[in-house]
Amino acid sequence: MIKKRLGFNRTFAGVILFSLALLVSQFGILGYADDASALQKIKKSGKLVVGTSADYPPYEFHLLNDKEGELVGIDIDIAKAIAKDLGVELEVKDLIFSKIFKELGAGKIDMAIAGLHPTEERKKVAQFSDVYYQAIQTVVIRKDNLKKINSIEDLRGKKVGTQKDSIQESMARSQITGAVFVAMDDIDDLVKSLRTKKDIDAVILEKPVAQSYVHRFKDLA
């Protein structure tokens, strides 16, 4: 399970076939400065700059699948509530997921909220909020593989896709043996490769995200 947290500085669907052992949490994150100075900086500028990766429905995504459209989702609503509580304007930057911590470390964003699990490596560059959501990881496959893939063992020799630098990537590599791993920056690209039978046989996603894609594409399970 992934535990989500918020703070200042992202972490298997349709038919749930099986789940990985690790549970992960969702968080938001604050850059490494002391809390008082970070808060002063935000209030002085009159703006809270939040980084996210908007390929993660229902948490953060572009309305009507338009990359230039409005950013919406559960995490976006949380960011709006934080900005309102602070009395400042909210600016949300849609970033490549693997770049979020670099942007945070460079001071280009004040906070990240994008399904971030607090690994020891990430804790070196960011402070994490309290857990605010418990999430289960699941596997998405094509419906034509329902009889072939029913367990983690069935992924041996298969191509398993995950988002680059995500907790799902590290989980897959540690818990699935004998698979070929394919990491991509964008979840939409992972799902497209899965549906078109190019390079990927299964994709590991957080359950609500997986359900969103399965609802949208009827050839997935």
Side-chain angles (χ1 to χ4, degrees):
M1 190 173 285
I2 293 186
K3 296 178 181 178
K4 282 196 174 184
R5 291 190 187 183
L6 315 156
F8 294 97
N9 177 329
R10 174 172 158 195
T11 60
F12 289 123
V15 176
I16 304 300
L17 299 176
F18 48 91
S19 60
L20 295 182
L22 181 61
L23 304 180
V24 190
S25 317
Q26 302 275 88
F27 307 79
I29 309 163
L30 180 63
Y32 254 144
D34 68 82
D35 294 345
S37 63
L39 186 59
Q40 289 173 0
K41 173 181 174 291
I42 293 166
K43 289 191 171 183
K44 184 177 180 180
S45 69
K47 180 187 293 186
L48 174 65
V49 183
V50 176
T52 192
S53 180
D55 56 353
Y56 215 59
Y59 302 107
E60 45 266 333
F61 59 102
H62 288 276
L63 193 62
L64 303 178
N65 304 314
D66 180 358
K67 292 294 185 182
E68 301 301 321
E70 180 185 0
L71 277 173
V72 296
I74 298 168
D75 285 343
I76 304 302
D77 289 341
I78 292 173
K80 289 179 179 178
I82 294 171
K84 182 178 180 181
D85 189 58
L86 292 174
V88 298
E89 176 189 350
L90 174 67
E91 178 184 347
V92 181
K93 291 187 176 182
D94 183 11
L95 306 169
I96 295 173
F97 181 73
S98 61
K99 306 293 185 183
I100 286 178
F101 282 89
K102 293 178 182 178
E103 295 286 299
L104 194 61
K108 295 182 178 179
I109 56 177
D110 301 310
M111 167 180 153
I113 180 168
L116 295 155
H117 184 67
T119 64
E120 291 305 313
E121 193 64 28
R122 289 173 175 177
K123 287 179 180 179
K124 294 177 182 178
V125 296
Q127 299 179 52
F128 285 81
S129 71
D130 293 334
V131 176
Y132 69 90
Y133 181 78
Q134 299 275 340
I136 296 171
Q137 304 305 303
T138 60
V139 175
V140 178
I141 61 172
R142 295 184 297 274
K143 280 186 176 178
D144 58 16
N145 272 335
L146 276 172
K147 293 183 178 180
K148 299 177 183 178
I149 301 177
N150 289 281
S151 69
I152 289 179
E153 288 71 28
D154 292 336
L155 292 175
R156 190 184 300 272
K158 299 292 193 299
K159 295 181 179 179
V160 177
T162 59
Q163 189 167 41
K164 185 179 179 181
D165 291 344
S166 68
I167 192 67
Q168 289 82 8
E169 181 179 13
S170 61
M171 289 169 65
R173 292 181 181 276
S174 66
Q175 297 189 39
I176 302 172
T177 59
V180 177
F181 300 104
V182 180
M184 296 184 180
D185 281 316
D186 194 287
I187 292 177
D188 286 339
D189 291 337
L190 284 168
V191 173
K192 181 178 179 180
S193 293
L194 175 64
R195 296 184 66 224
T196 56
K197 304 181 181 182
K198 292 181 179 179
D199 301 322
I200 295 177
D201 301 301
V203 176
I204 302 175
L205 295 171
E206 188 175 316
K207 183 177 178 180
V209 180
Q211 288 175 322
S212 176
Y213 280 101
V214 168
H215 178 74
R216 179 177 165 192
F217 300 117
K218 303 306 180 184
D219 54 338
L220 300 179

